[in-house]
Amino acid sequence: MGKTEQTEKEKKIDKKNDKKADKKLDKKIEKKTDKKIEKKPLIKKPDLSKPRMERTEIVKKLETKLNPKRFVHTIGVEYTAANLAFVHGADVEKARLAGLLHDCAKYIPTDEKLKRAKKYGIKPSKFEKANPDLIHGKLGAYMAKDKYGVDDPEILSAITYHTTGHPDMSLLDKIIFVADYIEPNRKLIRDLPEIRREAYLDLDKCIVHILKNTLEYLKTTDAAIDELTQETYDFYVKKLTK
Amino acid sequence: MGKTEQTEKEKKIDKKNDKKADKKLDKKIEKKTDKKIEKKPLIKKPDLSKPRMERTEIVKKLETKLNPKRFVHTIGVEYTAANLAFVHGADVEKARLAGLLHDCAKYIPTDEKLKRAKKYGIKPSKFEKANPDLIHGKLGAYMAKDKYGVDDPEILSAITYHTTGHPDMSLLDKIIFVADYIEPNRKLIRDLPEIRREAYLDLDKCIVHILKNTLEYLKTTDAAIDELTQETYDFYVKKLTK
């Protein structure tokens, strides 16, 4: 589920741009990777033949895949995650890598996302079947492993849950979830200056604030709400009031 | 005065790379701008014929001027400054712009820096005459105005003093001074994790910590120490112990 207001509003424009920019590229990738992926539908073990890429290489690759706006957002998330890691004592390099790759599957056209997920052995929920864009977190984690050689489970978890969050998140999960919402390129939606301060002062309070505003906003639209978003909100409200 | 250990250590390599990469480019600029600059040695009034560039345009231009390592550092400073602005209540867009442009004059070869400064009407101190690289902050502020259309005095001040600091800095001055030292691409020099946390928790304490380590480090080398660095340190030590 798209969690920010601007994401929802700009979804249509974004999708259109994505399709144009990525259609050609995507077909090429599809052709190249189809056979390879079919042979290994469940990527569970790290593929040692594909060592983790250097940052420069990852950035170059992302720049060819993502549209310019999403690429700039991605770098904003990377550095915001690193700064949150400074303060909350997380691993800075893991935060950067998870930030860089959190949207690595978002460029894939909506109607291709489920196909691609199937190839990785991801079983979409009913909700994801009805809203294929919402699978980009899970798909991103598989692609981070397959295309960028990242096999660290903490990083892959943070990519998987960056949009919905989940109850009892790890520190890295929280950092990527929050960085995605607050990074400096985001439009100034409701309460953002306050949420940005909370991100550094009280991470759980910040998460509740983000989820509260997201749920409230989504209820004013026709957008579907992933039940995990509500569960995450309920979990952290309970945690804060304990 | 270079304020970090890695800056000092890598100075020679950096200079060599800079010279190679920028010599050709620099000569071209020199030829083009010589006449124009001589006609207006003191740029005091904003040049309304040159509106401020958009970020995308600034980033593109910086990428052609700076070597890849310094370009990556520059983006790191931009986003770190923005995040510090979130927490300390500074103007986020000004922090980004000052971060982006803080090193915009650093690519100019050492032996050209004083010439270029003279053209802008900057009178170098004795110390700067002996250590021309240390004028890159002042020169950067003039170039930010002349080449990038930035005339905001707060931004120009933050660029001017980003290496030495100065007694009684503005919030933006402090943010750029600190962001330059802590941004995520910096090598893990002494106390850096602690200094990074202090940057968000207590900006003045962080500044004292940076200056203390810088002065201590520089005293172990042959590097010249700008007296403004010592003055800034003394000012903030006094302020903290009041």
Side-chain angles (χ1 to χ4, degrees), chain B residues 32-33 41 48 55 99 108 124 135 168-169 177 211-212 214 232:
Chain B
K32 276 188 189 167
T33 53
L48 297 177
R55 179 184 183 272
I108 295 168
I135 211 163
D168 209 10
M169 287 186 265
F177 175 84
L211 289 165
K212 182 174 172 285
T214 301
T232 311

Side-chain angles (χ1 to χ4, degrees), chain A residues 22-79:
Chain A
D22 297 322
K23 216 173 178 180
K24 221 173 166 180
L25 188 68
D26 205 66
K27 277 190 179 167
K28 276 188 192 169
I29 301 164
E30 208 68 61
K31 276 183 196 167
K32 276 189 189 168
T33 53
D34 263 10
K35 284 186 183 175
K36 204 165 60 189
I37 294 170
E38 277 167 7
K39 281 178 191 163
K40 42 166 191 171
L42 281 166
I43 301 171
K44 278 183 177 164
K45 286 179 190 168
D47 181 353
L48 297 177
S49 65
K50 281 185 188 171
R52 182 192 287 184
M53 288 180 184
E54 289 298 316
R55 179 185 182 271
T56 315
E57 209 184 336
I58 293 177
V59 170
K60 264 188 198 164
K61 187 165 176 172
L62 286 170
E63 201 167 8
T64 67
K65 303 282 183 194
L66 307 177
N67 67 39
K69 195 183 162 194
R70 186 159 298 136
F71 177 71
V72 169
H73 161 69
T74 287
I75 303 296
V77 173
E78 178 200 11
Y79 282 115

Side-chain angles (χ1 to χ4, degrees), chain B residues 158-170:
Chain B
I159 296 171
T160 301
Y161 296 107
H162 77 268
T163 311
T164 56
H166 68 89
D168 209 10
M169 287 186 265
S170 73

Side-chain angles (χ1 to χ4, degrees), chain A:
Chain A
M1 185 198 55
K3 75 171 182 288
T4 62
E5 293 171 30
Q6 74 267 33
T7 306
E8 286 305 311
K9 279 180 192 164
E10 292 165 11
K11 224 173 184 177
K12 283 189 184 172
I13 303 164
D14 256 19
K15 274 185 200 168
K16 212 175 171 184
N17 287 340
D18 266 13
K19 276 190 186 171
K20 274 187 196 166
D22 297 322
K23 216 173 178 180
K24 221 173 166 180
L25 188 68
D26 205 66
K27 277 190 179 167
K28 276 188 192 169
I29 301 164
E30 208 68 61
K31 276 183 196 167
K32 276 189 189 168
T33 53
D34 263 10
K35 284 186 183 175
K36 204 165 60 189
I37 294 170
E38 277 167 7
K39 281 178 191 163
K40 42 166 191 171
L42 281 166
I43 301 171
K44 278 183 177 164
K45 286 179 190 168
D47 181 353
L48 297 177
S49 65
K50 281 185 188 171
R52 182 192 287 184
M53 288 180 184
E54 289 298 316
R55 179 185 182 271
T56 315
E57 209 184 336
I58 293 177
V59 170
K60 264 188 198 164
K61 187 165 176 172
L62 286 170
E63 201 167 8
T64 67
K65 303 282 183 194
L66 307 177
N67 67 39
K69 195 183 162 194
R70 186 159 298 136
F71 177 71
V72 169
H73 161 69
T74 287
I75 303 296
V77 173
E78 178 200 11
Y79 282 115
T80 300
N83 276 268
L84 287 167
F86 292 169
V87 172
H88 297 295
D91 184 305
V92 175
E93 292 313 311
K94 285 189 186 188
R96 292 186 73 164
L97 201 49
L100 266 182
L101 293 172
H102 81 287
D103 267 351
C104 73
K106 211 164 176 176
Y107 76 95
I108 294 167
T110 307
D111 49 4
E112 290 295 324
K113 281 198 176 81
L114 290 180
K115 284 185 203 166
R116 194 72 72 100
K118 201 178 170 188
K119 284 175 194 159
Y120 282 116
I122 303 169
K123 285 183 185 170
S125 65
K126 270 186 191 175
F127 186 77
E128 286 163 341
K129 274 185 191 164
N131 306 278
D133 282 333
L134 308 184
I135 211 164
H136 83 272
K138 282 184 193 169
L139 187 55
Y142 278 80
M143 286 178 64
K145 196 170 201 170
D146 186 39
K147 310 282 186 192
Y148 297 86
V150 174
D151 53 36
D152 183 299
E154 285 185 72
I155 296 174
L156 300 181
S157 167
I159 297 171
T160 301
Y161 295 107
H162 77 268
T163 311
T164 57
H166 67 89
D168 208 10
M169 287 185 264
S170 73
L171 178 56
L172 196 65
D173 291 344
K174 290 180 188 179
I175 283 175
I176 300 304
F177 175 84
V178 168
D180 186 30
Y181 195 90
I182 68 166
E183 67 90 11
N185 302 296
R186 288 290 194 195
K187 273 184 202 159
L188 271 184
I189 54 173
R190 181 158 67 99
D191 299 344
L192 194 53
E194 197 184 337
I195 290 171
R196 283 171 165 170
R197 274 194 303 279
E198 285 168 355
Y200 284 90
L201 303 174
D202 188 333
L203 210 43
D204 285 350
K205 193 177 165 189
C206 175
I207 287 164
V208 167
H209 203 158
I210 290 173
L211 289 166
K212 182 175 173 285
N213 286 15
T214 301
L215 287 165
E216 277 175 15
Y217 169 73
L218 287 173
K219 281 168 192 168
T220 69
T221 71
D222 290 335
I225 299 176
D226 191 321
E227 56 189 18
L228 197 49
T229 307
Q230 186 68 53
E231 281 171 30
T232 310
Y233 175 68
D234 295 341
F235 178 90
Y236 283 98
V237 166
K238 206 173 167 185
K239 191 181 171 195
L240 277 190
T241 50
K242 255 182 191 172

Side-chain angles (χ1 to χ4, degrees), chain B residues 5-242:
Chain B
E5 293 170 30
Q6 73 267 33
T7 306
E8 286 304 311
K9 279 180 192 164
E10 293 165 10
K11 223 173 186 177
K12 282 189 184 170
I13 303 165
D14 256 20
K15 274 186 199 167
K16 213 173 169 184
N17 287 340
D18 265 13
K19 276 190 187 171
K20 274 187 197 167
D22 297 321
K23 217 173 177 180
K24 221 172 165 181
L25 188 68
D26 205 67
K27 276 191 180 166
K28 276 188 191 168
I29 301 165
E30 208 68 61
K31 276 183 196 166
K32 276 188 189 167
T33 53
D34 263 11
K35 284 186 182 173
K36 204 166 60 190
I37 294 171
E38 276 167 8
K39 281 178 191 163
K40 43 165 190 171
L42 281 166
I43 301 170
K44 279 183 177 165
K45 286 179 190 167
D47 181 352
L48 297 177
S49 64
K50 281 185 188 171
R52 182 192 287 184
M53 288 180 184
E54 288 298 316
R55 179 184 183 272
T56 315
E57 210 184 336
I58 294 177
V59 170
K60 264 188 198 164
K61 186 165 176 172
L62 286 170
E63 201 167 8
T64 67
K65 303 282 183 195
L66 307 177
N67 67 39
K69 195 184 162 193
R70 186 160 297 136
F71 177 71
V72 169
H73 161 70
T74 287
I75 303 297
V77 173
E78 178 200 11
Y79 282 115
T80 300
N83 276 268
L84 287 167
F86 292 168
V87 173
H88 297 295
D91 184 304
V92 175
E93 292 312 312
K94 286 189 186 188
R96 292 187 72 163
L97 201 49
L100 266 183
L101 293 172
H102 81 287
D103 268 351
C104 73
K106 211 164 177 177
Y107 76 96
I108 295 168
T110 307
D111 48 3
E112 289 295 324
K113 282 198 176 83
L114 290 180
K115 283 185 203 166
R116 194 72 72 101
K118 201 178 170 188
K119 283 173 193 160
Y120 282 117
I122 303 169
K123 286 185 184 169
S125 65
K126 270 186 192 175
F127 186 77
E128 286 164 342
K129 274 184 190 164
N131 306 279
D133 281 335
L134 308 184
I135 211 163
H136 83 272
K138 282 185 193 169
L139 187 55
Y142 277 80
M143 286 177 64
K145 195 171 202 169
D146 186 40
K147 310 281 186 193
Y148 297 86
V150 174
D151 52 37
D152 183 299
E154 285 185 72
I155 295 174
L156 300 181
S157 168
I159 296 171
T160 301
Y161 296 107
H162 77 268
T163 311
T164 56
H166 68 89
D168 209 10
M169 287 186 265
S170 73
L171 179 56
L172 196 65
D173 292 344
K174 290 179 189 180
I175 283 175
I176 300 305
F177 175 84
V178 168
D180 185 30
Y181 195 89
I182 69 166
E183 67 90 10
N185 302 296
R186 289 291 195 193
K187 274 184 202 159
L188 271 184
I189 53 173
R190 182 157 67 99
D191 299 344
L192 194 53
E194 197 184 337
I195 289 171
R196 283 171 165 170
R197 274 194 304 278
E198 285 167 355
Y200 284 90
L201 303 173
D202 187 334
L203 210 42
D204 286 350
K205 193 176 165 190
C206 175
I207 287 164
V208 167
H209 203 158
I210 290 173
L211 289 165
K212 182 174 172 285
N213 286 15
T214 301
L215 288 165
E216 278 176 14
Y217 169 73
L218 287 173
K219 280 169 192 167
T220 69
T221 70
D222 290 336
I225 299 176
D226 191 320
E227 56 189 17
L228 197 49
T229 307
Q230 186 67 52
E231 281 171 30
T232 311
Y233 175 68
D234 294 343
F235 178 90
Y236 282 98
V237 166
K238 206 172 167 184
K239 191 181 171 195
L240 278 191
T241 50
K242 253 182 191 171

